[in-house]
mmCIF file with all atom_site columns, all heavy atoms in Angstrom:
data_model
loop_
_atom_site.group_PDB
_atom_site.id
_atom_site.type_symbol
_atom_site.label_atom_id
_atom_site.label_alt_id
_atom_site.label_comp_id
_atom_site.label_asym_id
_atom_site.label_entity_id
_atom_site.label_seq_id
_atom_site.pdbx_PDB_ins_code
_atom_site.Cartn_x
_atom_site.Cartn_y
_atom_site.Cartn_z
_atom_site.occupancy
_atom_site.B_iso_or_equiv
_atom_site.pdbx_formal_charge
_atom_site.auth_seq_id
_atom_site.auth_comp_id
_atom_site.auth_asym_id
_atom_site.auth_atom_id
_atom_site.pdbx_PDB_model_num
ATOM 1   N N   . LEU F 1 28  ? 22.799 17.919 42.249 1.00 0.00 ? 28  LEU F N   1
ATOM 2   C CA  . LEU F 1 28  ? 21.689 17.067 41.862 1.00 0.00 ? 28  LEU F CA  1
ATOM 3   C C   . LEU F 1 28  ? 20.664 16.961 42.997 1.00 0.00 ? 28  LEU F C   1
ATOM 4   O O   . LEU F 1 28  ? 19.486 17.034 42.778 1.00 0.00 ? 28  LEU F O   1
ATOM 5   C CB  . LEU F 1 28  ? 22.214 15.670 41.464 1.00 0.00 ? 28  LEU F CB  1
ATOM 6   C CG  . LEU F 1 28  ? 21.172 14.667 40.991 1.00 0.00 ? 28  LEU F CG  1
ATOM 7   C CD1 . LEU F 1 28  ? 20.366 15.212 39.804 1.00 0.00 ? 28  LEU F CD1 1
ATOM 8   C CD2 . LEU F 1 28  ? 21.813 13.361 40.662 1.00 0.00 ? 28  LEU F CD2 1
ATOM 9   N N   . ARG F 1 29  ? 21.151 16.781 44.225 1.00 0.00 ? 29  ARG F N   1
ATOM 10  C CA  . ARG F 1 29  ? 20.258 16.659 45.396 1.00 0.00 ? 29  ARG F CA  1
ATOM 11  C C   . ARG F 1 29  ? 19.466 17.957 45.543 1.00 0.00 ? 29  ARG F C   1
ATOM 12  O O   . ARG F 1 29  ? 18.249 17.914 45.737 1.00 0.00 ? 29  ARG F O   1
ATOM 13  C CB  . ARG F 1 29  ? 21.062 16.394 46.648 1.00 0.00 ? 29  ARG F CB  1
ATOM 14  C CG  . ARG F 1 29  ? 20.242 16.113 47.888 1.00 0.00 ? 29  ARG F CG  1
ATOM 15  C CD  . ARG F 1 29  ? 21.056 15.825 49.130 1.00 0.00 ? 29  ARG F CD  1
ATOM 16  N NE  . ARG F 1 29  ? 22.045 14.774 48.904 1.00 0.00 ? 29  ARG F NE  1
ATOM 17  C CZ  . ARG F 1 29  ? 23.347 14.942 48.819 1.00 0.00 ? 29  ARG F CZ  1
ATOM 18  N NH1 . ARG F 1 29  ? 23.861 16.146 48.930 1.00 0.00 ? 29  ARG F NH1 1
ATOM 19  N NH2 . ARG F 1 29  ? 24.161 13.941 48.621 1.00 0.00 ? 29  ARG F NH2 1
ATOM 20  N N   . VAL F 1 30  ? 20.134 19.105 45.428 1.00 0.00 ? 30  VAL F N   1
ATOM 21  C CA  . VAL F 1 30  ? 19.427 20.394 45.570 1.00 0.00 ? 30  VAL F CA  1
ATOM 22  C C   . VAL F 1 30  ? 18.386 20.562 44.452 1.00 0.00 ? 30  VAL F C   1
ATOM 23  O O   . VAL F 1 30  ? 17.259 20.993 44.726 1.00 0.00 ? 30  VAL F O   1
ATOM 24  C CB  . VAL F 1 30  ? 20.464 21.565 45.539 1.00 0.00 ? 30  VAL F CB  1
ATOM 25  C CG1 . VAL F 1 30  ? 19.772 22.908 45.366 1.00 0.00 ? 30  VAL F CG1 1
ATOM 26  C CG2 . VAL F 1 30  ? 21.315 21.528 46.790 1.00 0.00 ? 30  VAL F CG2 1
ATOM 27  N N   . ALA F 1 31  ? 18.717 20.186 43.245 1.00 0.00 ? 31  ALA F N   1
ATOM 28  C CA  . ALA F 1 31  ? 17.778 20.317 42.128 1.00 0.00 ? 31  ALA F CA  1
ATOM 29  C C   . ALA F 1 31  ? 16.593 19.384 42.302 1.00 0.00 ? 31  ALA F C   1
ATOM 30  O O   . ALA F 1 31  ? 15.435 19.788 42.072 1.00 0.00 ? 31  ALA F O   1
ATOM 31  C CB  . ALA F 1 31  ? 18.490 20.022 40.809 1.00 0.00 ? 31  ALA F CB  1
ATOM 32  N N   . LEU F 1 32  ? 16.836 18.171 42.756 1.00 0.00 ? 32  LEU F N   1
ATOM 33  C CA  . LEU F 1 32  ? 15.754 17.204 42.957 1.00 0.00 ? 32  LEU F CA  1
ATOM 34  C C   . LEU F 1 32  ? 14.787 17.702 44.031 1.00 0.00 ? 32  LEU F C   1
ATOM 35  O O   . LEU F 1 32  ? 13.575 17.703 43.823 1.00 0.00 ? 32  LEU F O   1
ATOM 36  C CB  . LEU F 1 32  ? 16.341 15.841 43.352 1.00 0.00 ? 32  LEU F CB  1
ATOM 37  C CG  . LEU F 1 32  ? 15.327 14.779 43.685 1.00 0.00 ? 32  LEU F CG  1
ATOM 38  C CD1 . LEU F 1 32  ? 14.407 14.479 42.518 1.00 0.00 ? 32  LEU F CD1 1
ATOM 39  C CD2 . LEU F 1 32  ? 16.058 13.471 44.121 1.00 0.00 ? 32  LEU F CD2 1
ATOM 40  N N   . ILE F 1 33  ? 15.335 18.140 45.145 1.00 0.00 ? 33  ILE F N   1
ATOM 41  C CA  . ILE F 1 33  ? 14.461 18.634 46.224 1.00 0.00 ? 33  ILE F CA  1
ATOM 42  C C   . ILE F 1 33  ? 13.746 19.899 45.778 1.00 0.00 ? 33  ILE F C   1
ATOM 43  O O   . ILE F 1 33  ? 12.548 20.069 46.068 1.00 0.00 ? 33  ILE F O   1
ATOM 44  C CB  . ILE F 1 33  ? 15.278 18.866 47.514 1.00 0.00 ? 33  ILE F CB  1
ATOM 45  C CG1 . ILE F 1 33  ? 15.755 17.496 48.068 1.00 0.00 ? 33  ILE F CG1 1
ATOM 46  C CG2 . ILE F 1 33  ? 14.486 19.632 48.547 1.00 0.00 ? 33  ILE F CG2 1
ATOM 47  C CD1 . ILE F 1 33  ? 16.771 17.584 49.187 1.00 0.00 ? 33  ILE F CD1 1
ATOM 48  N N   . GLY F 1 34  ? 14.406 20.758 45.045 1.00 0.00 ? 34  GLY F N   1
ATOM 49  C CA  . GLY F 1 34  ? 13.768 21.942 44.496 1.00 0.00 ? 34  GLY F CA  1
ATOM 50  C C   . GLY F 1 34  ? 12.603 21.585 43.579 1.00 0.00 ? 34  GLY F C   1
ATOM 51  O O   . GLY F 1 34  ? 11.529 22.232 43.637 1.00 0.00 ? 34  GLY F O   1
ATOM 52  N N   . GLU F 1 35  ? 12.752 20.559 42.766 1.00 0.00 ? 35  GLU F N   1
ATOM 53  C CA  . GLU F 1 35  ? 11.654 20.119 41.889 1.00 0.00 ? 35  GLU F CA  1
ATOM 54  C C   . GLU F 1 35  ? 10.502 19.558 42.683 1.00 0.00 ? 35  GLU F C   1
ATOM 55  O O   . GLU F 1 35  ? 9.335  19.743 42.321 1.00 0.00 ? 35  GLU F O   1
ATOM 56  C CB  . GLU F 1 35  ? 12.175 19.121 40.860 1.00 0.00 ? 35  GLU F CB  1
ATOM 57  C CG  . GLU F 1 35  ? 13.066 19.726 39.792 1.00 0.00 ? 35  GLU F CG  1
ATOM 58  C CD  . GLU F 1 35  ? 12.332 20.698 38.881 1.00 0.00 ? 35  GLU F CD  1
ATOM 59  O OE1 . GLU F 1 35  ? 11.158 20.456 38.550 1.00 0.00 ? 35  GLU F OE1 1
ATOM 60  O OE2 . GLU F 1 35  ? 12.950 21.713 38.495 1.00 0.00 ? 35  GLU F OE2 1
ATOM 61  N N   . LEU F 1 36  ? 10.798 18.818 43.761 1.00 0.00 ? 36  LEU F N   1
ATOM 62  C CA  . LEU F 1 36  ? 9.739  18.264 44.630 1.00 0.00 ? 36  LEU F CA  1
ATOM 63  C C   . LEU F 1 36  ? 8.937  19.399 45.270 1.00 0.00 ? 36  LEU F C   1
ATOM 64  O O   . LEU F 1 36  ? 7.695  19.377 45.300 1.00 0.00 ? 36  LEU F O   1
ATOM 65  C CB  . LEU F 1 36  ? 10.319 17.359 45.691 1.00 0.00 ? 36  LEU F CB  1
ATOM 66  C CG  . LEU F 1 36  ? 10.804 15.994 45.216 1.00 0.00 ? 36  LEU F CG  1
ATOM 67  C CD1 . LEU F 1 36  ? 11.566 15.275 46.332 1.00 0.00 ? 36  LEU F CD1 1
ATOM 68  C CD2 . LEU F 1 36  ? 9.655  15.121 44.752 1.00 0.00 ? 36  LEU F CD2 1
ATOM 69  N N   . ILE F 1 37  ? 9.639  20.402 45.785 1.00 0.00 ? 37  ILE F N   1
ATOM 70  C CA  . ILE F 1 37  ? 8.962  21.557 46.380 1.00 0.00 ? 37  ILE F CA  1
ATOM 71  C C   . ILE F 1 37  ? 8.105  22.273 45.349 1.00 0.00 ? 37  ILE F C   1
ATOM 72  O O   . ILE F 1 37  ? 6.943  22.605 45.619 1.00 0.00 ? 37  ILE F O   1
ATOM 73  C CB  . ILE F 1 37  ? 9.999  22.530 47.025 1.00 0.00 ? 37  ILE F CB  1
ATOM 74  C CG1 . ILE F 1 37  ? 10.722 21.864 48.186 1.00 0.00 ? 37  ILE F CG1 1
ATOM 75  C CG2 . ILE F 1 37  ? 9.296  23.830 47.441 1.00 0.00 ? 37  ILE F CG2 1
ATOM 76  C CD1 . ILE F 1 37  ? 11.953 22.632 48.662 1.00 0.00 ? 37  ILE F CD1 1
ATOM 77  N N   . LYS F 1 38  ? 8.654  22.501 44.188 1.00 0.00 ? 38  LYS F N   1
ATOM 78  C CA  . LYS F 1 38  ? 7.927  23.192 43.085 1.00 0.00 ? 38  LYS F CA  1
ATOM 79  C C   . LYS F 1 38  ? 6.667  22.408 42.735 1.00 0.00 ? 38  LYS F C   1
ATOM 80  O O   . LYS F 1 38  ? 5.592  22.975 42.605 1.00 0.00 ? 38  LYS F O   1
ATOM 81  C CB  . LYS F 1 38  ? 8.858  23.321 41.889 1.00 0.00 ? 38  LYS F CB  1
ATOM 82  C CG  . LYS F 1 38  ? 8.221  23.983 40.694 1.00 0.00 ? 38  LYS F CG  1
ATOM 83  C CD  . LYS F 1 38  ? 9.251  24.040 39.563 1.00 0.00 ? 38  LYS F CD  1
ATOM 84  C CE  . LYS F 1 38  ? 8.591  24.353 38.258 1.00 0.00 ? 38  LYS F CE  1
ATOM 85  N NZ  . LYS F 1 38  ? 9.529  24.253 37.123 1.00 0.00 ? 38  LYS F NZ  1
ATOM 86  N N   . MET F 1 64  ? 13.494 17.270 54.721 1.00 0.00 ? 64  MET F N   1
ATOM 87  C CA  . MET F 1 64  ? 14.019 17.086 53.369 1.00 0.00 ? 64  MET F CA  1
ATOM 88  C C   . MET F 1 64  ? 13.992 18.406 52.598 1.00 0.00 ? 64  MET F C   1
ATOM 89  O O   . MET F 1 64  ? 14.973 18.766 51.957 1.00 0.00 ? 64  MET F O   1
ATOM 90  C CB  . MET F 1 64  ? 13.194 16.053 52.632 1.00 0.00 ? 64  MET F CB  1
ATOM 91  C CG  . MET F 1 64  ? 13.679 15.709 51.261 1.00 0.00 ? 64  MET F CG  1
ATOM 92  S SD  . MET F 1 64  ? 12.537 14.666 50.361 1.00 0.00 ? 64  MET F SD  1
ATOM 93  C CE  . MET F 1 64  ? 11.206 15.795 50.088 1.00 0.00 ? 64  MET F CE  1
ATOM 94  N N   . GLU F 1 65  ? 12.878 19.135 52.684 1.00 0.00 ? 65  GLU F N   1
ATOM 95  C CA  . GLU F 1 65  ? 12.740 20.399 51.952 1.00 0.00 ? 65  GLU F CA  1
ATOM 96  C C   . GLU F 1 65  ? 13.713 21.447 52.462 1.00 0.00 ? 65  GLU F C   1
ATOM 97  O O   . GLU F 1 65  ? 14.141 22.294 51.697 1.00 0.00 ? 65  GLU F O   1
ATOM 98  C CB  . GLU F 1 65  ? 11.313 20.920 52.025 1.00 0.00 ? 65  GLU F CB  1
ATOM 99  C CG  . GLU F 1 65  ? 10.347 20.102 51.155 1.00 0.00 ? 65  GLU F CG  1
ATOM 100 C CD  . GLU F 1 65  ? 8.956  20.707 51.055 1.00 0.00 ? 65  GLU F CD  1
ATOM 101 O OE1 . GLU F 1 65  ? 8.734  21.816 51.622 1.00 0.00 ? 65  GLU F OE1 1
ATOM 102 O OE2 . GLU F 1 65  ? 8.098  20.100 50.411 1.00 0.00 ? 65  GLU F OE2 1
ATOM 103 N N   . LYS F 1 66  ? 14.090 21.389 53.733 1.00 0.00 ? 66  LYS F N   1
ATOM 104 C CA  . LYS F 1 66  ? 15.064 22.308 54.279 1.00 0.00 ? 66  LYS F CA  1
ATOM 105 C C   . LYS F 1 66  ? 16.492 21.903 54.023 1.00 0.00 ? 66  LYS F C   1
ATOM 106 O O   . LYS F 1 66  ? 17.428 22.641 54.319 1.00 0.00 ? 66  LYS F O   1
ATOM 107 C CB  . LYS F 1 66  ? 14.853 22.455 55.796 1.00 0.00 ? 66  LYS F CB  1
ATOM 108 C CG  . LYS F 1 66  ? 13.592 23.184 56.190 1.00 0.00 ? 66  LYS F CG  1
ATOM 109 C CD  . LYS F 1 66  ? 13.469 23.257 57.700 1.00 0.00 ? 66  LYS F CD  1
ATOM 110 C CE  . LYS F 1 66  ? 12.180 23.935 58.100 1.00 0.00 ? 66  LYS F CE  1
ATOM 111 N NZ  . LYS F 1 66  ? 11.995 23.927 59.544 1.00 0.00 ? 66  LYS F NZ  1
ATOM 112 N N   . GLY F 1 67  ? 16.669 20.706 53.454 1.00 0.00 ? 67  GLY F N   1
ATOM 113 C CA  . GLY F 1 67  ? 18.017 20.221 53.179 1.00 0.00 ? 67  GLY F CA  1
ATOM 114 C C   . GLY F 1 67  ? 18.731 19.683 54.384 1.00 0.00 ? 67  GLY F C   1
ATOM 115 O O   . GLY F 1 67  ? 19.936 19.567 54.395 1.00 0.00 ? 67  GLY F O   1
ATOM 116 N N   . THR F 1 69  ? 18.284 16.636 55.623 1.00 0.00 ? 69  THR F N   1
ATOM 117 C CA  . THR F 1 69  ? 18.426 15.194 55.519 1.00 0.00 ? 69  THR F CA  1
ATOM 118 C C   . THR F 1 69  ? 18.555 14.790 54.065 1.00 0.00 ? 69  THR F C   1
ATOM 119 O O   . THR F 1 69  ? 18.087 15.526 53.175 1.00 0.00 ? 69  THR F O   1
ATOM 120 C CB  . THR F 1 69  ? 17.224 14.471 56.193 1.00 0.00 ? 69  THR F CB  1
ATOM 121 O OG1 . THR F 1 69  ? 17.471 13.070 56.186 1.00 0.00 ? 69  THR F OG1 1
ATOM 122 C CG2 . THR F 1 69  ? 15.931 14.745 55.470 1.00 0.00 ? 69  THR F CG2 1
ATOM 123 N N   . ASN F 1 70  ? 19.153 13.686 53.830 1.00 0.00 ? 70  ASN F N   1
ATOM 124 C CA  . ASN F 1 70  ? 19.260 13.126 52.474 1.00 0.00 ? 70  ASN F CA  1
ATOM 125 C C   . ASN F 1 70  ? 18.166 12.083 52.315 1.00 0.00 ? 70  ASN F C   1
ATOM 126 O O   . ASN F 1 70  ? 18.222 11.052 52.969 1.00 0.00 ? 70  ASN F O   1
ATOM 127 C CB  . ASN F 1 70  ? 20.625 12.509 52.223 1.00 0.00 ? 70  ASN F CB  1
ATOM 128 C CG  . ASN F 1 70  ? 21.727 13.536 52.162 1.00 0.00 ? 70  ASN F CG  1
ATOM 129 O OD1 . ASN F 1 70  ? 21.546 14.626 51.696 1.00 0.00 ? 70  ASN F OD1 1
ATOM 130 N ND2 . ASN F 1 70  ? 22.897 13.146 52.689 1.00 0.00 ? 70  ASN F ND2 1
ATOM 131 N N   . PRO F 1 71  ? 17.170 12.353 51.489 1.00 0.00 ? 71  PRO F N   1
ATOM 132 C CA  . PRO F 1 71  ? 16.074 11.425 51.381 1.00 0.00 ? 71  PRO F CA  1
ATOM 133 C C   . PRO F 1 71  ? 16.480 10.120 50.694 1.00 0.00 ? 71  PRO F C   1
ATOM 134 O O   . PRO F 1 71  ? 17.322 10.088 49.796 1.00 0.00 ? 71  PRO F O   1
ATOM 135 C CB  . PRO F 1 71  ? 15.060 12.160 50.498 1.00 0.00 ? 71  PRO F CB  1
ATOM 136 C CG  . PRO F 1 71  ? 15.878 13.148 49.723 1.00 0.00 ? 71  PRO F CG  1
ATOM 137 C CD  . PRO F 1 71  ? 17.023 13.532 50.612 1.00 0.00 ? 71  PRO F CD  1
ATOM 138 N N   . PHE F 1 100 ? 12.403 15.745 35.411 1.00 0.00 ? 100 PHE F N   1
ATOM 139 C CA  . PHE F 1 100 ? 11.508 15.230 36.429 1.00 0.00 ? 100 PHE F CA  1
ATOM 140 C C   . PHE F 1 100 ? 10.096 15.239 35.931 1.00 0.00 ? 100 PHE F C   1
ATOM 141 O O   . PHE F 1 100 ? 9.606  16.096 35.333 1.00 0.00 ? 100 PHE F O   1
ATOM 142 C CB  . PHE F 1 100 ? 11.607 16.073 37.706 1.00 0.00 ? 100 PHE F CB  1
ATOM 143 C CG  . PHE F 1 100 ? 12.950 16.067 38.316 1.00 0.00 ? 100 PHE F CG  1
ATOM 144 C CD1 . PHE F 1 100 ? 13.780 17.147 38.228 1.00 0.00 ? 100 PHE F CD1 1
ATOM 145 C CD2 . PHE F 1 100 ? 13.430 14.945 38.970 1.00 0.00 ? 100 PHE F CD2 1
ATOM 146 C CE1 . PHE F 1 100 ? 15.052 17.140 38.814 1.00 0.00 ? 100 PHE F CE1 1
ATOM 147 C CE2 . PHE F 1 100 ? 14.684 14.925 39.540 1.00 0.00 ? 100 PHE F CE2 1
ATOM 148 C CZ  . PHE F 1 100 ? 15.472 16.022 39.460 1.00 0.00 ? 100 PHE F CZ  1
#
Side-chain angles (χ1 to χ4, degrees):
L28 181 59
R29 187 179 307 107
V30 168
L32 176 60
I33 291 170
E35 288 294 322
L36 286 170
I37 294 168
K38 179 180 165 188
M64 183 188 69
E65 288 188 3
K66 289 180 183 176
T69 186
N70 291 324
F100 299 106

